[in-house]
Amino acid sequence: MASLVGSRVERKEDKKLLTGRGKYTADVTFAHQTYAYFVRSPHARAQLKNVDISKAQKASGVVAVLTGKDIANDKIGGLIAGWRIKSEDGSDMKVPAHPPLANESVNYVGDHVAVVIAESLDEARNAAELVKVDYKILKAVVKTDKAMDSESIYKDIPKNLCFDWLLGDRAKTQEAFDKADKIIKIDLINNRLIPNAMEPRAANADYNPSTEEITLYTTSQNPHLARIIISAFNGVAPENKLRVIAPDVGGGFGSKIYPYAEEVVCSWASKKIERPVKWVADRTESFLSDCHGRDHVTHAELAVKNDGTFLGFKNETIANLGAYASVFGTVTPTYLFGPCATGVYKMPAAYSNVKAVFTNTAPVDAYRGAGRPEATYTIETLVEKAARELGMDPAEIRMKNFPTEFPFQQTLVHSVDSGDYNAGLKKAMEVGDYKGFEARKKESESKGKLRGVGFCSYFEACGIAPSAVVMSLGCGIGLWESAEVRFNPTGNVTVFTGSHSHGQGHDTTFAQIAADRLGVPLENIEISHGDTDKGPFGYGTYGSRSLTVGGTAIVKACDKIVAKGKKVAAKMLEVNESDVEFKDGEFIVAKSNQKKTIGEVAFACYLPGTYGEVKSPLPEGEEPGLKETSFFDPGNFSFPAGSHICEVEVDPDTGNTEVVKYTAVDDFGTIINPLIVEGQVHGGLAQGIGQALYENCHYDDTGQLVTASYMDYTMPRADNFPEFNLGFTCTPATSNPLGTKGCGEAGAIAAPPAVMNAVMNAVGTEVSMPATAEKVWKACQKMNKSNSKAA
Amino acid sequence: MKTFNYHSTKDVKEATKLASSSSAFLAGGMTTLPSMKLGLASYKDIIDIKRIKKLSGIKVSGKTVTIGATTKHAEVAHSKEVKKAIPSLAALAEGIGDPQVRNRGTIGGSIANNDPSADYPSACIALNATIHTNNRKVSAEKFFTGMFETSLKKGELIEAVEFQVPEKSCYKKYPNPASRYAIVGVYVAKHKSAVNVAVTGAKSCVYNDENISGALSKSFSSSALDNVKISSSGMNSDVHASADYRANMVKIFAKKAVEAC
Ligand SMILES: Cc1cc2nc3c(=O)[nH]c(=O)nc-3n(C[C@H](O)[C@H](O)[C@H](O)COP(=O)(O)OP(=O)(O)OC[C@H]3O[C@@H](n4cnc5c(N)ncnc54)[C@H](O)[C@@H]3O)c2cc1C
């Protein structure tokens, strides 16, 4: 049987998803359904003086109106920060209380004030207008770089500073800088983004008073985490009385990893009114209240020798956490950012200092790449600038500083198990025809356009592990993954994974792995996920972890199945277990034609005895059934890497910038399904190019979100992209038996610096993200590069 | 969305009779429905005019192109007759929003709404359009009176827009990358008697830029605009573009339009 690993199997889930047969949270409606509408703060910062619900309570169709007082009276816990970060001085981070419904103050536009529950959504919405809230409006803190100099939002958090974190050695870094021939400096803004999953967040909680059980349907990347948080921290129901189901979920990009106020409130309210409570965000609510991404202000320096050798790196960053510390809000700008900030290079000394601040904006949390795009943008902008200032080719300076021996102990934290960065960059230059750039530039010039080329070489650390290490760094959860492989009596298989698919294609990739391992046809394998009542506890999908961690758990569970199968087969074949080999779904007695298929063995496990034709005695002491569980905690992260080369064309008269050629060569270790991996790269590139050229979350000085709809927030569209040229190199990971590395975030990590370096190369001066037409036009004016033909 | 009465009407008389101070005509709904959903507008009566046959269709004579009010953008974009008589008008329609919007949105709805960034108002000004309503004919110049304002009276219904066929013309816009409305759009039309240069997106309402049209009347070439100064005063400024940028783009896009005429 040919191995399925490496083959372009079409996604099993697409038929359902593309024909409208997916089942999303909003599709779930219970008998006696009620509908929730949230009263949200229109102000960025205000004291809640009074919330008068009397009129709303009397409105048509209203079942209940609940406020922060009610939730406090019921002792429902607040939303949590999942990762405890310590400051350089050893002190714990400072976080404000984050009640699911505000009690004393509101701290961003969209913050939750009250919930109106009614027989219909229209009635809930109309009654919400009758909730009279008396706000004392306070001056909002909005700008990332001004937060520390502004009035404290929370009285016990001076300077709005959550923590002041350091990784690395300042003194050693300074020594390196003292020896430098040249110091390259940059100031960067990593623009704030709004995740914009295609499916808006939603929750539908159904409390059954007779069993006291809540079933919560929700748009989650991680239903198990939602369950443990809502039960252990919010205290809504004990874990055994809370079932969380994340059915089909239409994208998350990090914004759906953890539960929000709405899930907590719907679950609690359902228990209170003893009816199901459904909430589905409208698009405006998504813009206002989904956690945002990025939002860093960075000063960084690179110490170099005249021959281009890197000596040291400094990174001083202010990271905006928004109004509250969200679940992964504090780890994103620290352990996911700092260690990767030295990039893919040998860097003798370095440090990353991050000051995380609170502002009156929506909370900021992990968004595709989470910390690593920010790190990569910083170092790759610096490296390109160093090449420019030293008069070196951007590829040459990179290759000069690539490590060539693996495992490679990276400066700040990681021991990178495998890689070949030179091979990746060389291949990218080949695939992208770097040699031909000058000719293409001339051609663009003949049309009155400026053409630029930009590089990005990146590595990233994903599939966070092992649990013991990350917990010692302040992580409040483990990061292993589970799998249960269950043979059904008739020989087909259901695989339960603790990870969750919301676009990644688990149903296909995971089935390929199990099919290979068990020798069972792909169509006989079903992947099940997203329901805490089915399969073991797990940690969901984010951080490019599912295949390396969750896929490995499947492999291990399959291996256990085969081990048991061997014993059963030996008994059935009346030979010694050591004489039985397993290959392509068959247990074979060596040097004979005696064999049992894995299906026959499974059947025997479920019918252990003799009954007419059926003769399937189990070995002595063996339990019936064929089902195995595995929990896999990897020994290390996985470290995908690659080189991307972008070419842009700029119209100097308008500043309009187009990506005209994009080459991505990535090393994701072993690739199970190239079709899916290419799709992941395409999606990541779209978001990365989106960040570089189009997307920008903009709050005005009073904290109003200006870009709160698609009329103002520029989502990139298909016509904004060229065909992508993809290529791959492969150095298998050593930390998992599949040899795979995460692929989901690479595009979003590598694209912003590749694009911005190309823009810089075209216009000859720095432009900040997103490089809108006006910014690029101004840069062209500054450099006097208007198109003589039209000017 | 607040509840409302829905009326599907069969002729202009029925539609205008139903109109009141708390009603709206429903054409493509591309503007009306989102604003109702967002709670920005609410009406007692929604009067659907899409079934009134007379309001839809394209008529081309030697000198004019007349487009019925409920004719969709996609129909104009794909019309062979329009493409032949005034290719720039078909091209303008093809550049509106996205396919969904073009398949629903109508010319009547667009000009009645008079969004400062909409495309059609510039065509009306540049192509000396006459707006036919249920009780009068108004010149485009008198029709567009301000930001989201027109000289339409309450309950007055646009029936058709009659464009004058120019000698040559071209519309060039820099689309807002998010919405694809015009950040700046310039419609240059050379008629026998005069040159019109209608600008949309730049100010609170479409206008004829007399500096540019003056220069082009003397010499219809892009170099004629080299020394024309465009002031940024009165220009829009928002997250997408400053007034300065818009002022510069008016000139750049006027040149691009002239070059492509
Ligand atoms: C996402 C998006 C992108 C868009 N992009 C662009 C763009 O790039 N360029 C552009 O120009 N436009 C754009 N539009 C606007 C669109 O093209 C429509 O023209 C516009 O929304 C109004 O047309 P409608 O037929 O949908 O009118 P409706 O929404 O039905 O009506 C709009 C208003 O006009 C009134 N009205 C309608 N018909 C008549 C009539 N015959 N007589 C009197 N009053 C009438 C209605 O009562 C209402 O007040 C965009 C719209 C959307 C939603």
Side-chain angles (χ1 to χ4, degrees):
Chain A
M1 200 162 101
S3 169
L4 283 167
V5 167
S7 65
R8 306 174 71 86
V9 178
E10 279 186 25
R11 292 173 24 127
K12 290 172 80 172
E13 48 271 79
D14 280 352
K15 186 169 179 193
K16 153 182 96 168
L17 297 175
L18 296 178
T19 56
R21 295 297 175 138
K23 186 175 183 182
Y24 297 87
T25 298
D27 296 326
V28 177
T29 300
F30 296 107
H32 315 296
Q33 185 73 60
T34 68
Y35 298 84
Y37 189 82
F38 283 83
V39 177
R40 294 175 186 273
S41 172
H43 307 296
R45 184 172 171 225
Q47 252 171 17
L48 275 187
K49 293 177 69 180
N50 188 38
V51 182
D52 178 1
I53 58 170
S54 52
K55 277 218 178 85
Q57 278 174 316
K58 286 183 216 125
S60 140
V62 169
V63 179
V65 184
L66 303 170
T67 66
K69 286 222 165 57
D70 300 308
I71 214 162
N73 287 341
D74 284 3
K75 305 212 161 34
I76 297 302
L79 304 173
I80 57 160
W83 204 303
R84 198 182 296 157
I85 301 297
K86 283 190 189 302
S87 285
E88 186 179 353
D89 65 9
S91 61
D92 265 328
M93 66 180 188
K94 297 188 178 66
V95 296
H98 188 185
L101 293 175
N103 208 354
E104 287 162 12
S105 65
V106 285
N107 292 297
Y108 65 98
V109 173
D111 208 350
H112 315 73
V113 176
V115 62
V116 179
I117 298 163
E119 300 292 345
S120 72
L121 178 59
D122 278 338
E123 285 167 314
R125 192 187 282 133
N126 290 341
E129 285 176 17
L130 303 174
V131 174
K132 286 279 160 288
V133 187
D134 187 2
Y135 295 101
K136 184 182 172 203
I137 300 169
L138 301 170
K139 192 167 169 8
V141 178
V142 181
K143 295 264 176 308
T144 309
D145 54 348
K146 301 271 169 18
M148 284 185 287
D149 308 322
S150 307
E151 187 190 352
S152 288
I153 301 170
Y154 307 101
K155 66 177 185 310
D156 45 356
I157 305 184
K159 296 171 77 180
N160 297 310
L161 187 63
C162 178
F163 55 76
D164 182 348
W165 174 84
L166 180 77
L167 183 70
D169 189 329
R170 284 183 200 270
K172 223 178 121 199
T173 308
Q174 193 51 50
E175 272 171 41
F177 271 70
D178 291 343
K179 287 190 214 114
D181 291 329
K182 216 172 171 63
I183 292 168
I184 318 292
K185 298 180 182 180
I186 47 163
D187 286 287
L188 294 177
I189 292 174
N190 204 285
N191 46 326
R192 186 180 179 115
L193 304 175
I194 301 178
N196 280 301
M198 198 184 287
E199 182 201 15
R201 289 190 296 115
N204 193 352
D206 180 24
Y207 174 72
N208 183 332
S210 50
T211 61
E212 298 180 358
E213 199 182 352
I214 299 173
T215 303
L216 170 66
Y217 277 83
T218 175
T219 49
S220 176
Q221 299 175 225
N222 198 344
H224 302 278
L225 186 75
R227 176 161 90 149
I228 197 168
I229 291 179
I230 295 170
S231 92
F233 293 90
N234 308 121
V236 176
E239 241 184 309
N240 62 325
K241 295 290 185 191
L242 177 62
R243 175 181 183 186
V244 180
I245 301 173
D248 286 322
V249 174
F253 311 112
S255 70
K256 296 173 180 166
I257 303 178
Y258 36 81
Y260 286 70
E262 290 88 354
E263 289 95 307
V264 177
V265 169
C266 288
S267 304
W268 160 72
S270 171
K271 203 166 173 177
K272 243 181 140 55
I273 65 170
E274 302 195 346
R275 288 179 64 182
V277 178
K278 179 171 178 173
W279 168 78
V280 181
D282 59 35
R283 194 48 79 175
T284 309
E285 283 182 293
S286 301
F287 274 101
L288 291 174
S289 72
D290 288 3
C291 284
H292 296 169
R294 319 276 192 258
D295 203 340
H296 284 194
V297 174
T298 292
H299 173 81
E301 299 184 7
L302 182 67
V304 293
K305 288 210 286 205
N306 281 334
D307 69 356
T309 309
F310 301 160
L311 297 176
F313 170 77
K314 294 179 183 176
N315 165 21
E316 301 277 357
T317 291
I318 306 170
N320 191 346
L321 298 179
Y324 303 100
S326 179
V327 175
F328 294 103
T330 54
V331 70
T332 298
T334 51
Y335 289 106
L336 296 181
F337 167 67
C340 292
T342 54
V344 72
Y345 308 108
K346 290 178 282 184
M347 188 75 72
Y351 75 82
S352 281
N353 173 225
V354 179
K355 296 178 176 73
V357 296
F358 294 109
T359 58
N360 295 112
T361 60
V364 177
D365 204 304
Y367 170 66
R368 200 170 193 167
R372 289 145 292 163
E374 296 90 317
T376 307
Y377 182 52
T378 305
I379 185 71
E380 286 304 290
T381 309
L382 260 179
V383 166
E384 198 99 350
K385 189 170 181 185
R388 225 161 35 238
E389 293 195 7
L390 294 170
M392 289 175 78
D393 183 89
E396 185 195 348
I397 197 169
R398 286 179 167 86
M399 290 194 194
K400 190 168 185 75
N401 292 283
F402 282 160
T404 46
E405 275 169 31
F406 290 85
F408 161 57
Q409 182 57 52
Q410 180 259 5
T411 322
L412 289 170
V413 171
H414 296 299
S415 170
V416 180
D417 60 343
S418 67
D420 185 346
Y421 303 152
N422 279 302
L425 180 49
K426 280 184 191 141
K427 185 159 183 185
M429 289 162 74
E430 224 175 86
V431 174
D433 182 31
Y434 181 54
K435 276 206 206 95
F437 172 72
E438 284 305 324
R440 290 191 292 277
K441 186 174 162 137
K442 286 227 169 67
E443 203 186 306
S444 298
E445 273 164 9
S446 73
K447 295 183 291 178
K449 299 274 175 71
L450 307 172
R451 195 179 185 107
V453 62
F455 283 72
C456 170
S457 294
Y458 76 97
F459 94 110
E460 65 127 331
C462 56
I464 312 178
S467 299
V469 172
V470 293
M471 289 180 72
S472 76
L473 297 176
C475 180
I477 57 171
L479 282 158
W480 44 264
E481 196 47 87
S482 67
E484 182 181 303
V485 175
R486 187 193 291 175
F487 258 92
N488 302 314
T490 54
N492 48 33
V493 181
T494 309
V495 176
F496 298 87
T497 171
S499 65
H500 183 273
S501 185
H502 33 280
Q504 293 84 352
H506 290 12
D507 291 14
T508 308
T509 306
F510 287 9
Q512 282 176 256
I513 299 173
D516 257 16
R517 217 72 187 182
L518 299 171
V520 170
L522 192 73
E523 56 275 17
N524 290 358
I525 297 178
E526 226 49 57
I527 305 295
S528 173
H529 58 78
D531 183 342
T532 57
D533 268 14
K534 286 191 197 165
F537 190 91
Y539 278 113
T541 286
Y542 44 90
S544 306
R545 68 188 300 274
S546 300
L547 180 59
T548 57
V549 190
T552 301
I554 293 173
V555 167
K556 297 201 155 231
C558 287
D559 290 351
K560 289 186 189 174
I561 292 268
V562 170
K564 174 169 177 176
K566 257 190 193 165
K567 290 187 203 154
V568 177
K571 175 82 181 178
M572 291 168 81
L573 294 161
E574 295 173 336
V575 295
N576 287 329
E577 190 190 331
S578 57
D579 295 331
V580 178
E581 274 170 25
F582 180 70
K583 196 166 172 270
D584 294 344
E586 290 174 337
F587 295 94
I588 305 162
V589 180
K591 296 186 202 98
S592 83
N593 57 5
Q594 276 186 288
K595 60 186 180 189
K596 289 282 173 198
T597 66
I598 196 163
E600 288 172 305
V601 170
F603 188 73
C605 288
Y606 286 96
L607 279 91
T610 305
Y611 177 82
E613 298 281 283
V614 178
K615 289 191 185 63
S616 47
L618 280 188
E620 196 83 12
E622 202 58 61
E623 292 177 2
L626 190 57
K627 181 198 93 167
E628 295 289 352
T629 304
S630 181
F631 293 81
F632 177 63
D633 198 348
N636 199 352
F637 288 63
S638 85
F639 301 101
S643 285
H644 292 199
I645 304 176
C646 174
E647 289 180 26
V648 297
E649 236 179 30
V650 171
D651 179 345
D653 291 334
T654 62
N656 188 45
T657 302
E658 253 182 89
V659 173
V660 288
K661 191 171 169 72
Y662 197 101
T663 306
V665 172
D666 298 292
D667 177 357
F668 299 134
T670 309
I671 289 178
I672 309 292
N673 185 330
L675 190 70
I676 287 180
V677 167
E678 286 163 15
Q680 288 288 313
V681 175
H682 285 188
L685 291 178
Q687 281 171 303
I689 295 170
Q691 169 163 33
L693 296 184
Y694 307 108
E695 297 186 47
N696 196 37
C697 168
H698 182 78
Y699 282 96
D700 72 11
D701 290 342
T702 65
Q704 290 296 328
L705 182 62
V706 178
T707 51
S709 84
Y710 292 126
M711 298 308 263
D712 288 308
Y713 186 88
T714 310
M715 284 300 279
R717 307 187 195 184
D719 65 357
N720 293 127
F721 306 114
E723 281 289 322
F724 298 126
N725 307 312
L726 305 192
F728 298 96
T729 59
C730 176
T731 58
T734 61
S735 53
N736 71 74
L738 292 163
T740 58
K741 303 177 181 180
C743 73
E745 295 164 294
I749 291 170
V755 175
M756 294 308 290
N757 286 336
V759 172
M760 159 81 219
N761 183 252
V763 302
T765 184
E766 277 152 37
V767 179
S768 67
M769 293 197 291
T772 59
E774 177 164 6
K775 283 193 212 165
V776 175
W777 175 76
K778 283 197 171 130
C780 291
Q781 295 296 108
K782 193 172 114 188
M783 303 305 288
N784 216 352
K785 282 205 173 163
S786 66
N787 174 4
S788 53
K789 199 169 116 253
Chain B
M1 199 190 296
K2 296 267 158 66
T3 53
F4 54 85
N5 302 313
Y6 173 80
H7 311 270
S8 179
T9 56
K10 271 176 242 57
D11 57 44
V12 171
K13 214 174 186 175
E14 188 191 355
T16 49
K17 216 169 141 197
L18 280 164
S20 71
S21 58
S22 55
S23 74
F25 293 124
L26 183 71
M30 290 288 96
T31 295
T32 306
L33 296 180
S35 53
M36 288 166 73
K37 280 187 179 173
L38 287 169
L40 301 173
S42 63
Y43 304 100
K44 209 168 122 255
D45 297 287
I46 287 291
I47 306 161
D48 194 336
I49 57 170
K50 285 195 299 293
R51 287 198 180 79
I52 304 178
K53 284 217 176 69
K54 175 182 168 194
L55 296 184
S56 172
I58 297 167
K59 271 187 238 108
V60 178
S61 76
K63 289 187 190 121
T64 61
V65 170
T66 305
I67 300 176
T70 59
T71 310
K72 292 170 187 136
H73 307 330
E75 291 167 341
V76 175
H78 300 148
S79 156
K80 282 203 186 87
E81 293 127 304
V82 177
K83 277 187 190 166
K84 197 160 161 241
I86 319 179
S88 60
L89 187 61
L92 173 146
E94 183 64 36
I96 294 175
D98 48 47
Q100 288 88 334
V101 170
R102 293 196 288 275
N103 283 322
R104 300 289 302 180
T106 68
I107 188 168
S110 176
I111 66 167
N113 195 45
N114 192 20
D115 188 302
S117 314
D119 296 305
Y120 268 131
S122 70
C124 294
I125 295 287
L127 302 173
N128 295 327
T130 306
I131 321 299
H132 298 233
T133 77
N134 58 317
N135 52 30
R136 60 183 173 137
K137 290 180 185 177
V138 203
S139 71
E141 231 175 292
K142 298 224 168 81
F143 184 81
F144 301 106
T145 53
M147 183 156 147
F148 294 107
E149 274 173 24
T150 65
S151 63
L152 281 176
K153 308 243 162 40
K154 260 287 141 211
E156 189 174 0
L157 184 77
I158 301 167
E159 295 192 351
V161 185
E162 181 187 338
F163 296 98
Q164 190 183 320
V165 176
E167 284 177 357
K168 48 185 173 176
S169 65
C170 181
Y171 177 65
K172 287 278 177 195
K173 80 163 164 176
Y174 190 68
N176 175 323
S179 69
R180 310 244 163 143
Y181 272 92
I183 280 186
V184 163
V186 183
Y187 207 130
V188 173
K190 187 173 184 305
H191 297 275
K192 218 178 196 153
S193 52
V195 176
N196 289 339
V197 179
V199 178
T200 188
K203 293 190 177 176
S204 58
C205 184
V206 64
Y207 65 99
N208 193 357
D209 192 307
E210 275 154 17
N211 281 330
I212 301 179
S213 58
L216 291 177
S217 301
K218 286 191 201 115
S219 151
F220 195 80
S221 69
S222 74
S223 57
L225 303 181
D226 284 348
N227 297 319
V228 174
K229 291 257 175 308
I230 309 287
S231 156
S232 64
S233 103
M235 293 227 171
N236 300 331
S237 189
D238 53 38
V239 284
H240 301 289
S242 67
D244 265 354
Y245 180 72
R246 281 190 162 89
N248 278 286
M249 288 311 114
V250 168
K251 182 163 155 181
I252 295 285
F253 280 84
K255 285 186 165 204
K256 285 186 192 274
V258 170
E259 280 164 17
C261 261

